[in-house]
Amino acid sequence: MKAFCGGANPNTGAPDRLEDTEEYDYHQEIARSCFADMLHDSDRNQKYYRGIRAAVARVQARGERVVVLDIGTGTGLLSMMAATAGAHLCYAVEVFQPMAEAARRIVEKNGFSEKIKIINKHSTEVTVGTDGEMQTKANVLITELFDTELIGEGALPSYEHAHRHLVQEACEAVPHRATVYAQLVESELLSGWARLRPVEEAGLRLAPPPSVGLCAGAHSVCDVQLSQVPPGSFRPLGPLCTMFSVDFSKPVSSASQSHSSQFVALSGGRAQVVLSWWDLDMDPSGSVVCSMAPSWTYSQPEGAPWRDHWMQSVYFLPSESSVAEGEELRLTVCHDDYSLWFGLRSPSQQDSQPEAPPPRPCCTCQAHLVWTRPRFGELNDGRRTERYIRALRSVLTADSVCLAVGDGGLLPVFAHMIGAQKVFSLESSRMCRQVIKEVLEVNSMEGAVELLDIRPEQLTSGDLGGDQISVLLGEPFFSGGLLPWHGLFFWYCRTALAGLLRPGAAILPRGATLHMVAVEFKDLWRIRAPCAACEGFDVSAMDQMVQKSLDFRESREAEPHPLWEYPCRALTRPAGVMTFDFTQHVPQQPISSRGSLPLTRTGRCHGVALWMEYHLTDDITVSAGLIGPVSEQGACEWSRHRKQGVYFLRSPWETSASGAAVSYSFTFEPDTGDVKMDFGVAPQ
């Protein structure tokens, strides 16, 4: 039976009803997973293999029959490692049905069907006994239940249940132990992802609401490729601290706990951010360690393993504070069964207040529910703000009637400050309206911007007090957008509002250009690369499943990625390939663009990067992609505020700069707002 899931088309804003079947969900889950990245993580795989061989050997040395419980088996890889190492029987538990089926095929193809039993259940639903899925308790426990925050996939409840019901008291665990580390730092870059800073640009001064600065923020981890955050963009205020460890070979508790580390401040500054990552000890001696530490902690950074399934974490302290060099500080981490949070205390606070763990962060200002962390960074970008203010000054007059379209933006506030006669803003979200209202109140501009909860096509002249719009504003930014062309919703809004525009009304931005560049990724290619063999095992069934997902409808299109976290080399020059004129209506017929870009560098082309550049005026442009020229070697600098589109090629192209070119074909479909695309290699 078919079902339908509702939503709004991120371009047109029209209701979007997508056919939703089991097959659709399955393919989308596979297409967006990181299974290929994990299979390509040779550092992880080899260290798991070493830990498993050692654990099996320890049980064999006790004269016991080796029975393995593998929770979250995925492809069955770790169970096959255990069987190869000498395990007599492996119970491989996998709750995701398509993966469990793939594991069955992989296990069978590798000849382990008699030794490995696939159980398609959550481990907490597995039972032991004559009527259970397991005939006997295991004496080796193998798991891969971890995420960037270590415990975010429910590792602690799963371990707790396993030790109570599924494994023997003296079991061996792989990994044996996990250790969480943290470091207190000052960073204007990172703290700008959680705090709204004062605006002091082009003669305008705008203060943020105090409630935003005092708010502890959203309770969700900020996971990033910390290796791509330059060490020069933060200053360590303390040493790297060992916060806590979990011994997986012993009973584990999922109850909330707190752990503290006391240290002396290495330097003075603003305590703003905590950087965190973790290690896995694969054996009790700690001789086999799988580390999530960022590359700049290595003596040879280029030798650091890359992975996208486990990254590093940034935590924002509930409030910023000044610390002095040599001051004694206590950093505390708390965790429940799924998440971590941090707090900082000085000895003076400890003397005056009873010791208590920091409360779980909870947003009370609503801004952290309205603005994502990249959005905070975008609003705090002074250079970007200056361009918008300069563009506004060029189009506003004393009698301007402005209408802003977007989600939670500051442009309508700036328009009033510059001197527009009237300013209206369409804000469909109640929380957006509340946050902007508070910004206005804090800056003594109550009522200066009229916030309207009306869709563009429903707006009438009466809603504007009988006025017509002389300036239509947008960044564009819409919270539902992911891909670069989702900002074209502004164009649809402009078209819907055409009857309310004065003749000759200014449209800001005037238009946009879709840009592309063919690239060679340093590492990101791994998340879509086939892996027919892994550590000597045939995992081609996984490739077949991924390939099937790639043949599915959405997976053949571009996908969003924050490319500042994923270094790449440009193999062609960046170029605009399709232009959208916002001063005109959205056309009724498709727009197409075809051409080719000569290859200017040799390399392995993994795909095409795509982004929008918005033309605020004839001479002021804001890029949501490349923010600087490509270096001579092809290095690219990407905006941290927006995700770019990436079209991965089915197979990489080995390119030569002599006479070859990347051909492209784009078609904008106005009915759906989609941009269809195709690429190839053509002789020049």
Side-chain angles (χ1 to χ4, degrees):
M1 180 177 178
K2 295 179 180 178
F4 291 87
C5 53
N9 184 301
N11 272 356
T12 66
D16 209 5
R17 297 185 68 81
L18 299 174
E19 187 174 306
D20 183 21
T21 65
E22 284 188 13
E23 184 180 34
Y24 178 84
D25 287 341
Y26 149 56
H27 284 99
Q28 291 311 304
E29 187 74 20
I30 296 300
R32 292 166 182 162
S33 69
C34 289
F35 292 120
D37 168 36
M38 297 172 73
L39 293 174
H40 282 284
D41 188 348
S42 59
D43 178 76
R44 162 196 176 270
N45 298 338
Q46 292 168 13
K47 287 173 178 174
Y48 259 101
Y49 210 167
R50 289 172 62 186
I52 289 169
R53 288 197 298 264
V56 170
R58 289 194 297 274
V59 174
Q60 289 174 330
R62 299 199 295 260
E64 299 177 19
R65 184 171 180 266
V66 181
V67 179
V68 172
L69 172 61
D70 175 9
I71 301 178
T73 193
T75 60
L77 176 64
L78 302 184
S79 285
M80 292 190 296
M81 290 179 177
T84 302
H88 296 87
L89 179 62
C90 299
Y91 295 105
V93 181
E94 174 57 52
V95 68
F96 183 37
Q97 191 276 329
M99 278 306 306
E101 181 56 36
R104 285 192 184 96
R105 297 203 304 269
I106 291 170
V107 164
E108 181 179 357
K109 191 162 189 176
N110 286 273
F112 292 110
S113 295
E114 293 186 2
K115 281 193 170 186
I116 299 175
K117 178 183 179 182
I118 305 297
I119 302 173
N120 181 206
K121 281 190 173 183
H122 194 283
S123 66
T124 57
E125 298 174 346
V126 174
T127 59
V128 178
T130 54
D131 296 328
E133 294 80 11
M134 296 173 62
Q135 301 305 303
T136 182
K137 288 187 176 183
N139 50 18
V140 174
L141 175 59
I142 300 172
T143 57
E144 204 288 65
L145 298 171
F146 313 114
D147 69 348
T148 292
E149 205 171 13
L150 181 67
I151 64 174
E153 290 186 2
L156 296 182
S158 296
Y159 272 112
E160 185 174 45
H161 177 271
H163 276 286
R164 287 180 178 175
H165 304 286
L166 305 180
V167 300
Q168 298 175 19
E169 185 175 348
C171 80
E172 300 286 344
V174 183
H176 178 81
R177 181 190 304 109
T179 304
V180 174
Y181 303 92
Q183 187 168 38
L184 179 69
V185 304
E186 175 187 72
S187 174
E188 287 300 301
L189 170 65
L190 300 179
S191 65
W193 295 349
R195 303 278 190 268
L196 185 63
R197 298 201 186 101
V199 174
E200 295 187 7
E201 297 291 339
L204 299 186
R205 296 177 183 271
L206 187 71
S211 62
V212 180
L214 297 173
C215 180
H219 180 53
S220 60
V221 65
C222 178
D223 54 342
V224 298
Q225 290 284 357
L226 207 52
S227 296
Q228 300 308 313
V229 176
S233 65
F234 61 86
R235 183 155 58 104
L237 301 182
L240 183 64
C241 299
T242 300
M243 299 307 300
F244 68 93
S245 294
V246 183
D247 187 337
F248 298 127
S249 69
K250 299 177 181 178
V252 172
S253 172
S254 62
S256 298
Q257 298 181 34
S258 64
H259 310 269
S260 295
S261 179
Q262 193 155 329
F263 59 90
V264 174
L266 300 176
S267 61
R270 296 287 295 171
Q272 298 172 319
V273 171
V274 175
L275 310 182
S276 182
W277 56 87
W278 46 269
D279 288 348
L280 294 176
D281 289 325
M282 294 300 182
D283 66 333
S285 69
S287 60
V288 182
V289 180
C290 186
S291 176
M292 306 308 121
S295 62
W296 36 259
T297 65
Y298 286 68
S299 57
Q300 295 182 317
E302 63 279 0
W306 182 87
R307 38 190 149 241
D308 206 44
H309 53 102
W310 297 330
M311 294 188 280
Q312 297 80 37
S313 302
V314 174
Y315 296 92
F316 307 96
L317 290 173
S319 60
E320 298 183 5
S321 59
S322 296
V323 302
E325 182 177 354
E327 183 179 358
E328 287 191 8
L329 300 170
R330 180 183 292 273
L331 184 65
T332 299
V333 61
C334 299
H335 70 79
D336 53 20
D337 49 350
Y338 283 93
S339 57
L340 279 64
W341 62 94
F342 285 82
L344 182 71
R345 292 169 66 91
S346 65
S348 59
Q349 291 174 310
Q350 296 170 36
D351 293 339
S352 62
Q353 304 171 24
E355 183 73 29
R360 176 202 296 268
C362 177
C363 178
T364 56
C365 71
Q366 300 192 77
H368 298 92
L369 306 178
V370 168
W371 296 325
T372 63
R373 279 138 186 167
R375 181 61 169 160
F376 266 102
E378 188 168 55
L379 295 174
N380 285 327
D381 186 336
R383 288 184 297 180
R384 177 181 177 279
T385 298
E386 186 275 333
R387 290 186 182 182
Y388 276 99
I389 291 175
R390 188 154 45 93
L392 283 170
R393 291 189 190 279
S394 72
V395 299
L396 291 177
T397 61
D399 63 347
S400 291
V401 176
C402 301
L403 177 66
V405 178
D407 290 342
L410 299 178
L411 287 192
V413 183
F414 296 149
H416 168 75
M417 296 173 73
I418 290 171
Q421 183 184 52
K422 290 184 180 180
V423 182
F424 300 89
S425 182
L426 298 186
E427 293 283 1
S428 59
S429 162
R430 179 189 58 80
M431 286 191 296
C432 282
R433 294 194 298 275
Q434 181 58 40
V435 170
I436 300 304
K437 182 180 178 182
E438 191 169 351
V439 170
L440 292 167
E441 290 174 351
V442 166
N443 290 274
S444 301
M445 292 186 283
E446 297 93 331
V449 177
E450 187 168 346
L451 304 170
L452 304 175
D453 178 15
I454 301 174
R455 292 180 57 82
E457 65 273 17
Q458 297 171 334
L459 192 70
T460 67
S461 176
D463 298 313
L464 303 176
D467 287 310
Q468 285 188 303
I469 302 163
S470 58
V471 181
L472 181 64
L473 308 174
E475 298 185 48
F477 175 82
F478 303 97
S479 57
L482 290 174
L483 289 163
W485 40 93
H486 288 169
L488 293 178
F489 181 53
F490 177 80
W491 199 11
Y492 288 85
C493 294
R494 177 260 182 269
T495 302
L497 295 165
L500 299 177
L501 299 178
R502 290 182 189 173
I507 311 294
L508 190 157
R510 294 177 55 81
T513 301
L514 178 64
H515 286 248
M516 67 163 275
V517 62
V519 296
E520 175 185 56
F521 285 110
K522 181 182 178 183
D523 296 299
L524 187 62
W525 59 271
R526 301 174 194 271
I527 69 171
R528 295 291 174 263
C531 187
C534 183
E535 306 304 325
F537 301 102
D538 185 339
V539 292
S540 56
M542 184 66 208
D543 275 351
Q544 293 165 9
M545 187 162 60
V546 171
Q547 186 59 48
K548 192 174 181 181
S549 74
L550 290 174
D551 290 337
F552 200 67
R553 150 168 91 93
E554 287 192 6
S555 304
R556 291 178 296 181
E557 301 173 357
E559 53 190 71
H561 289 282
L563 290 185
W564 73 269
E565 296 185 58
Y566 305 105
C568 62
R569 290 177 58 242
L571 301 181
T572 65
R573 62 179 177 82
V577 293
M578 182 173 280
T579 298
F580 309 93
D581 185 356
F582 296 165
T583 66
Q584 305 298 316
H585 292 199
V586 175
Q588 295 184 352
Q589 299 301 317
I591 304 173
S592 296
S593 174
R594 293 175 174 78
S596 62
L597 292 178
L599 287 157
T600 56
R601 298 175 185 87
T602 59
R604 202 160 195 244
C605 183
H606 295 113
V608 175
L610 302 152
W611 69 98
M612 283 289 195
E613 292 190 1
Y614 293 103
H615 312 297
L616 306 186
T617 64
D618 290 339
D619 59 348
I620 303 175
T621 298
V622 172
S623 175
L626 283 178
I627 56 174
V630 174
S631 75
E632 187 175 340
Q633 292 74 32
C636 302
E637 184 181 2
W638 298 98
S639 168
R640 293 188 179 98
H641 311 322
R642 304 279 181 105
K643 291 182 179 181
Q644 292 73 42
V646 177
Y647 186 100
F648 286 102
L649 303 174
R650 297 291 181 91
S651 300
W653 301 330
E654 300 294 341
T655 64
S656 169
S658 57
V662 175
S663 62
Y664 61 83
S665 172
F666 291 92
T667 300
F668 169 67
E669 301 282 356
D671 289 345
T672 63
D674 290 336
V675 176
K676 305 297 184 183
M677 61 197 71
D678 194 19
F679 303 94
V681 177
Q684 188 72 346

